[in-house]
Amino acid sequence: MTFGSKQQRSADRERPVGRRGVLAASMALALSAWGGPALAQAQAGRKLRVTLNSVVHFDETTWARLVDKGPRPAAYIFTTTFCPNCPDAFEKLRTFVMDSHRPVELVVVLMDVDGPKALEHAHHYTGATRLYTFHGFEPAIRQSVDPKWPNVTPYMVLLGRDGSVQRSIGVPEPAMLKKWLP
């Protein structure tokens, strides 16, 4: 199937693009260059939010590795898909971090869903820098995080720049947050 003669196609390539074509090309270029982050930004004056698009497995060895060599400062919120208070608790923590104007790793760990299915719940945690899902035997993984954890969510662990570890069920108290991120 041909769409015009060779001479016709050659003439079409040499024809001036025109004002609309230039505007369309300019808009496409602008959107491809910065459209993703600009579209992710909510309203003017709001902070840039990151949308999660990948999931990392969290097993019995992950926590020790994160405490030993993970980013600092960091906040880990352990949650489940059915936790009604967890998105609000995460948002309060995220607001505190954004108001501090410091780079902080904000991590969500979903305990009851594994793999890519977790991305269906990521919209509850817009602004998180990483999404983990439990991969393995849940009680053993919880035990590796904190043997005293009573399996209540949201369970937050704050790792300070100095290596300090603070734990909280629910939103941490303001004094704890200020100690973690002075």
Side-chain angles (χ1 to χ4, degrees):
M1 176 185 278
T2 59
F3 297 102
S5 69
K6 201 175 204 182
Q7 289 176 336
Q8 178 65 35
R9 287 191 306 258
S10 177
D12 287 345
R13 281 187 291 238
E14 295 173 6
R15 183 180 302 152
V17 176
R19 192 169 162 187
R20 286 186 180 167
V22 169
L23 287 173
S26 298
M27 181 60 84
L29 181 61
L31 284 175
S32 69
W34 52 264
L39 293 174
Q41 194 169 11
Q43 301 289 338
R46 288 197 135 199
K47 305 289 184 196
L48 182 65
R49 293 181 175 203
V50 176
T51 302
L52 298 169
N53 59 10
S54 65
V55 178
V56 182
H57 288 296
F58 193 105
D59 60 24
E60 293 176 47
T61 63
T62 305
W63 184 246
R65 189 173 58 253
L66 289 171
V67 170
D68 188 37
K69 297 180 181 176
R72 298 285 192 281
Y76 293 84
I77 178 169
F78 293 85
T79 180
T80 58
T81 57
F82 57 85
C83 175
N85 301 322
C86 293
D88 184 51
F90 173 81
E91 184 60 27
K92 288 178 181 175
L93 180 64
R94 190 193 69 79
T95 299
F96 175 81
V97 168
M98 297 308 286
D99 290 345
S100 74
H101 302 289
R102 296 198 182 134
V104 173
E105 186 84 0
L106 284 174
V107 180
V108 174
V109 183
L110 281 171
M111 300 166 29
D112 62 341
V113 63
D114 191 17
K117 288 184 179 182
L119 293 174
E120 296 171 12
H121 304 280
H123 68 278
H124 293 297
Y125 303 101
T126 303
T129 55
R130 186 166 303 222
L131 178 64
Y132 284 94
T133 60
F134 272 15
H135 185 71
F137 187 55
E138 182 184 330
I141 298 170
R142 276 189 285 110
Q143 189 77 13
S144 73
V145 173
D146 181 2
K148 296 178 184 174
W149 178 9
N151 193 23
V152 177
T153 59
Y155 186 70
M156 295 192 185
V157 182
L158 308 174
L159 302 178
R161 186 175 304 281
D162 60 356
S164 63
V165 178
Q166 299 178 60
R167 303 169 191 276
S168 170
I169 294 175
V171 180
E173 295 294 323
M176 182 185 287
L177 291 171
K178 289 177 184 173
K179 183 179 177 185
W180 166 62
L181 206 59

